[in-house]
Amino acid sequence: MSEEKNGKDYSSVAFESGAKKLGENIANRALDYVVDTVKKQFRFKKVELGTVFYRYLENAAGRYNKVRTLATGNDPRNIIGENDIYVKIGVGYNKQELDTSSVENLTAVSKNIVIIGTGGVGKSMLMRYLFLNTAYEGGLVPVLVELRKVGLQKAGSVSVERLIEDCMAQFDITLPEDEFIYSLRLGKYLFLFDGFDEVKEELAPETADKIQEFCSKYPNNKCILTSRPTEDLSPLETFTHMRLKHLSKEQAVELASKIWNKDEKTEEFCRQLDRELFEKHQSFAENPLLLSMMFLTFMRNLSIPDHLAEFYEKAYSALYSLHDNHDKGYYRRDFRCAGLDERSFKLLFARFCFQTCLHEAYEFREAEILGLLRKCAEHLGCDIDERDYLTDLKKAVCMIVEDGNEYKFSHRSFQSYFAAVYASERLSDEQQKKLFKDLLSNSANYHYESLFDLLDQIEHERFTENALEDGLRELQKVADAQDEPEKFLLTQMFKGLYQTLWNEDAVIHFEINRKNGRYNYELLYNFMLYASDERYIDEDVDLTLVGIFIRELSPEYCEGFPLKKIAEGLQFEGVDRSEKFSVELKKEFYNALIKYRGITKLRADIRGWLGELDRKRAELAQPDFIDSL
């Protein structure tokens, strides 16, 4: 990617893989200020402190500029510079698209920002780009913090300062604590907190609280956090929400042209993507990760499946078969576990994904991952050397990547897919029913939404029956007995709502009612939350009246600022008790929310699912039931 800003040509910036050292190109004004000020306060020698900080930027930028993708395999590519793979994607805010070419375009809106995006849309790639860009722009000192590393800390003692120090220490920078704290007060840092959705469930609320506390303690720094939309971000009270945009067709074609060598196959894929594939498979093509998988699948099959589960299967098959396609332009990769047939290789990986998914484990030390692979192989009766198998996962199928001293999935979406494959192929109906009830009874079941979605696609009828039938039948029975069944469903799913900012484009957030003791049946409530996800939301609904209710009835509402706590948002019980609005206006208020959340469609779908199950069971009692199969 080539871009000029303030007279700088970023395509000419070379990292250690290129010609010049990064440190010779950086002219970071913010870093100079930090060095000078800390030096004066603590009587440091400027040259010593400057060396430490510039070594950090040099080492960190050299690391963050290198990235591997599913399509590029074991060959790292640059985010900026020669042979780059990065394509800029904007973020949405107030119905406008903000340019992400410089962090200043974002921080001009707010010092604290949450960038929300679905899996594979490019959140981590954007954070790396912002780090690199900021290192050259010079206005701030960037620090990229991978939030999954919170897992190395203990519940009850999460420290953002320690997390930041650890992230900087890996690039050979250490400062005494008092000097580090003093530098934080100078307000010259850009903290990029990447991957809140990768924080373990038991640590997520505390981590969000600590990040907000950190930002309040050092308010002059800039902070950007990324997360998937399913996470509870309510503790981040001062953070403005933005949403990472999907790829446009032009951006998708640009990215596709960079994935592989510029040869006839790449050109043909780009031509078809521009002519028809983008519109036909937009849900795949607008996501950078899925577009890369789409490329590999097209190269092998010359077609793209319509369903996500089938798409993952064909993408994996393409990756598995790369070693057989050397004459077709692919790299040749030989398997260490040559005696393990393709089905056994896949099932072993599926077992590993299933176990790690349910335990919310996403990255591993070498001894840890080898131990897990050994246990999975013993469970399935596979005679392998776990080191050889790990090498195959890294080099032959690119499912696992090595990142410093840790191993992680090339993308978590593959973990969810293969966990679903294992549950489908290896678990009995009784095992599935117990597993799903346990998972759906968990107050943080959103960690398993991808698993549920993929299982639903792989075996829709069996999944519906084993995971959802009991909860659906009770839900239908209880709702049908209500005078206003759709309002009942809405108020059982959610306790209330709030919005981050009061303006014409305010985003409405719902306070999730995950724990409700009225019927003591957690499966029922959590299924409603699972089922009524974004596919049911109608964004065209006019929420003006809803905003008025929030403004008038929220006890701690302050125009222009977010509500201080989620508990100070608008509770539905407060709406029902209030005498400030007429019965008619309250009805309009609830009808708008019912339409916005798609409650009517959800209720109809539940009735349809259960009716189909009843019909099929009735056919089994008929003498000619074979004809109905």
Side-chain angles (χ1 to χ4, degrees):
M1 177 179 62
S2 177
E3 179 179 355
E4 293 187 4
K5 189 175 179 76
N6 298 331
K8 298 177 183 178
D9 182 0
Y10 286 93
S11 65
S12 67
V13 174
F15 289 80
E16 293 190 353
S17 62
K20 294 184 178 182
K21 293 175 65 178
L22 176 64
E24 298 172 356
N25 292 301
I26 288 178
N28 192 296
R29 303 185 307 279
L31 186 52
D32 290 337
Y33 175 81
V34 171
V35 169
D36 286 340
T37 308
V38 175
K39 178 200 69 172
K40 292 176 183 177
Q41 178 71 16
F42 293 93
R43 302 186 182 279
F44 255 130
K45 292 181 180 180
K46 179 178 178 180
V47 64
E48 293 176 356
L49 188 63
T51 298
V52 169
F53 269 102
Y54 276 101
R55 184 168 65 243
Y56 156 70
L57 276 187
E58 177 183 349
N59 293 344
R63 164 67 183 85
Y64 293 138
N65 194 46
K66 295 296 182 183
V67 62
R68 292 186 179 95
T69 70
L70 289 174
T72 60
N74 293 312
D75 298 315
R77 297 280 293 278
N78 290 331
I79 292 179
I80 64 174
E82 185 179 358
N83 195 30
D84 71 288
I85 198 171
Y86 183 68
V87 173
K88 285 185 299 181
I89 305 177
V91 297
Y93 173 73
N94 277 0
K95 298 185 179 179
Q96 297 179 345
E97 182 171 330
L98 300 183
D99 182 9
T100 60
S101 60
S102 173
V103 73
E104 293 177 357
N105 298 330
L106 305 178
T107 57
V109 175
S110 174
K111 289 183 179 180
N112 299 332
I113 296 169
V114 173
I115 295 179
I116 297 172
T118 54
V121 77
K123 300 184 294 296
S124 294
M125 193 77 81
L126 171 63
M127 296 292 262
R128 288 191 178 203
Y129 170 80
L130 291 177
F131 178 97
L132 296 165
N133 175 266
T134 304
Y136 285 91
E137 289 290 319
L140 297 166
V141 179
V143 179
L144 179 56
V145 181
E146 297 171 304
L147 287 177
R148 66 176 183 269
K149 296 184 183 299
V150 170
L152 300 176
Q153 301 186 22
K154 294 182 179 180
S157 60
V158 170
S159 168
V160 175
E161 287 88 345
R162 187 165 72 252
L163 184 65
I164 292 170
E165 287 180 300
D166 290 345
C167 286
M168 296 179 74
Q170 66 179 316
F171 298 113
D172 198 19
I173 176 173
T174 55
L175 286 175
E177 184 176 358
D178 56 346
E179 293 153 16
F180 172 63
I181 296 300
Y182 180 78
S183 75
L184 291 176
R185 297 193 180 108
L186 300 178
K188 292 295 182 179
Y189 284 104
L190 168 67
F191 293 107
L192 301 164
F193 296 106
D194 188 32
F196 183 76
D197 52 285
E198 295 187 37
V199 177
K200 289 186 175 182
E201 173 207 338
E202 65 269 19
L203 295 175
E206 182 182 0
T207 300
D209 286 336
K210 292 297 184 180
I211 291 174
Q212 180 58 69
E213 181 181 307
F214 174 84
C215 293
S216 300
K217 190 174 182 180
Y218 308 107
N220 294 323
N221 297 301
K222 310 294 193 304
C223 296
I224 300 178
L225 180 144
T226 64
S227 179
R228 294 192 185 195
T230 53
E231 305 301 320
D232 182 5
L233 303 170
S234 57
L236 300 174
E237 302 152 1
T238 64
F239 279 69
T240 297
H241 288 221
M242 299 180 181
R243 183 174 288 271
L244 192 58
K245 306 287 284 187
H246 291 292
L247 292 171
S248 65
K249 181 166 74 172
E250 292 73 20
Q251 290 169 327
V253 173
E254 179 187 357
L255 178 57
S257 70
K258 296 182 175 187
I259 291 175
W260 202 260
N261 300 323
K262 290 179 171 59
D263 55 19
E264 292 182 1
K265 294 184 291 295
T266 300
E267 291 177 1
E268 177 60 25
F269 178 75
C270 290
R271 277 195 296 269
Q272 292 202 31
L273 185 64
D274 184 47
R275 292 174 183 172
E276 60 178 357
L277 287 180
F278 186 86
E279 285 78 10
K280 185 177 180 181
H281 300 288
Q282 186 169 344
S283 63
F284 296 165
E286 67 185 7
N287 180 296
L289 170 73
L290 298 182
L291 177 64
S292 298
M293 294 165 61
M294 186 175 171
F295 174 88
L296 292 176
T297 304
F298 179 86
M299 290 299 159
R300 187 165 189 259
N301 301 282
L302 299 180
S303 63
I304 307 297
D306 291 326
H307 296 291
L308 192 60
E310 184 182 358
F311 176 62
Y312 277 117
E313 177 60 30
K314 288 192 177 296
Y316 167 78
S317 181
L319 288 165
Y320 183 90
S321 302
L322 288 181
H323 67 294
D324 294 329
N325 291 280
H326 184 65
D327 59 333
K328 299 178 183 179
Y330 292 104
Y331 295 115
R332 177 177 294 279
R333 294 169 182 149
D334 296 322
F335 283 89
R336 293 277 188 92
C337 296
L340 201 62
D341 61 71
E342 181 174 355
R343 185 180 184 283
S344 297
F345 187 98
K346 175 183 173 182
L347 186 60
L348 177 53
F349 183 58
R351 166 77 182 180
F352 171 76
C353 291
F354 179 78
Q355 288 292 318
T356 55
C357 178
L358 295 188
H359 288 93
E360 299 180 62
Y362 310 119
E363 61 178 45
F364 321 88
R365 297 285 182 170
E366 183 178 63
E368 183 182 9
I369 193 171
L370 290 174
L372 289 170
L373 291 174
R374 186 183 310 113
K375 289 180 180 179
C376 290
E378 291 172 354
H379 181 85
L380 295 175
C382 297
D383 183 15
I384 62 161
D385 182 291
E386 57 270 18
R387 289 187 178 275
D388 288 343
Y389 187 73
L390 177 59
T391 299
D392 288 343
L393 289 178
K394 289 191 300 178
K395 296 184 177 181
V397 295
C398 303
M399 291 287 101
I400 296 292
V401 296
E402 189 172 0
D403 185 5
N405 296 323
E406 296 173 332
Y407 295 85
K408 60 183 181 180
F409 293 95
S410 56
H411 197 272
R412 279 175 55 191
S413 60
F414 272 114
Q415 183 191 33
S416 296
Y417 169 68
F418 281 103
V421 168
Y422 186 85
S424 171
E425 294 187 5
R426 298 289 293 188
L427 301 189
S428 67
D429 288 340
E430 291 74 16
Q431 288 173 316
Q432 281 199 6
K433 287 178 180 179
K434 177 171 175 51
L435 172 67
F436 296 144
K437 184 170 184 179
D438 288 346
L439 293 183
L440 284 169
S441 296
N442 188 311
S443 62
N445 74 80
Y446 52 80
H447 280 276
Y448 308 109
E449 284 184 355
S450 295
L451 174 64
F452 294 153
D453 284 337
L454 289 162
L455 265 170
D456 191 21
Q457 293 182 34
I458 292 172
E459 46 179 14
H460 172 71
E461 293 184 9
R462 187 176 178 222
F463 173 76
T464 303
E465 185 171 355
N466 289 345
L468 308 176
E469 182 180 5
D470 290 346
L472 291 177
R473 292 201 182 278
E474 181 162 340
L475 171 61
Q476 182 174 255
K477 177 183 177 181
V478 174
D480 287 350
Q482 306 298 314
D483 294 333
E484 297 178 277
E486 291 171 351
K487 177 186 173 183
F488 168 80
L489 293 181
L490 175 75
T491 56
Q492 290 301 301
M493 292 164 66
F494 308 105
K495 294 174 67 175
L497 42 82
Y498 66 105
Q499 58 191 45
T500 51
L501 292 172
W502 176 255
N503 54 48
E504 60 181 356
D505 300 316
V507 177
I508 301 296
H509 300 278
F510 285 81
E511 182 179 358
I512 296 174
N513 186 9
R514 294 191 182 276
K515 293 291 185 182
N516 189 310
R518 183 178 301 178
Y519 298 102
N520 194 28
Y521 197 54
E522 200 66 31
L523 172 60
L524 183 155
Y525 301 108
N526 281 307
F527 167 70
M528 290 192 295
L529 296 172
Y530 159 66
S532 187
D533 60 11
E534 289 190 1
R535 74 188 118 170
Y536 286 93
I537 290 178
D538 184 353
E539 295 184 349
D540 293 329
V541 175
D542 184 358
L543 296 176
T544 302
L545 180 62
V546 175
I548 293 174
F549 267 67
I550 295 174
R551 183 179 185 181
E552 296 298 324
L553 299 182
S554 297
E556 297 296 330
Y557 175 78
C558 179
E559 186 167 344
F561 295 93
L563 300 174
K564 293 182 179 180
K565 295 180 181 178
I566 191 171
E568 295 167 348
L570 179 59
Q571 304 288 303
F572 290 136
E573 291 182 358
V575 173
D576 295 335
R577 290 195 307 266
S578 173
E579 298 179 358
K580 199 166 190 176
F581 294 97
S582 67
V583 174
E584 290 75 15
L585 278 178
K586 290 180 183 178
K587 187 172 183 179
E588 288 184 33
F589 165 83
Y590 280 117
N591 284 341
L593 292 179
I594 287 168
K595 185 176 181 183
Y596 175 69
R597 291 299 311 195
I599 303 298
T600 303
K601 184 179 187 304
L602 171 64
R603 189 177 177 217
D605 282 351
I606 291 172
R607 192 175 299 278
W609 294 336
L610 294 178
E612 181 69 9
L613 279 176
D614 291 339
R615 182 187 65 79
K616 290 183 176 181
R617 286 173 182 161
E619 289 173 346
L620 295 178
Q622 303 301 317
D624 58 347
F625 83 94
I626 293 178
D627 295 334
S628 67
L629 297 179

